[in-house]
Amino acid sequence: MNSTDRIIGQRRFTTEDQLRFADLSGDRNPIHVDPIAARRLLTGQLVVHGINVMLTVLEFWARTA
C-alpha cells in the first residue's frame, strides 16, 4: 500500500456464506460449495463467487461515498 491507499472494508467469507450465495444465484459449481472437490483444484480450497466479492466491494464503497 502507498500513502494514498486506504482500506474501506474487510470480510472473511465462510462456507455458509458460499452456500447461501449459491442458493440465491443458482451457481452451485463445486469450486464454490464442495470443499472436497475444491481440494483437488489449483487453489486447494473453496473459491468465493466473483459476483459475491463484487457486491461486497460495492457495499463497502457505498458506505464510504
Side-chain angles (χ1 to χ4, degrees):
M1 282 181 51
N2 64 45
S3 61
T4 60
D5 292 338
R6 66 187 175 113
I7 296 172
I8 62 169
Q10 187 172 334
R11 168 93 192 270
R12 181 175 298 267
F13 292 92
T14 66
T15 302
E16 172 126 346
D17 295 328
Q18 288 294 90
L19 293 172
R20 278 197 315 253
F21 191 81
D23 288 342
L24 177 69
S25 69
D27 182 352
R28 301 199 57 78
N29 184 326
I31 197 170
H32 301 305
V33 297
D34 185 343
I36 303 300
R39 243 185 5 202
R40 297 183 192 113
L41 301 171
L42 183 61
T43 61
Q45 60 188 0
L46 294 177
V47 175
V48 177
H49 292 82
I51 297 297
N52 199 1
V53 172
M54 180 55 83
L55 291 171
T56 302
V57 168
L58 289 173
E59 180 183 349
F60 290 152
W61 179 75
R63 289 180 189 171
T64 65

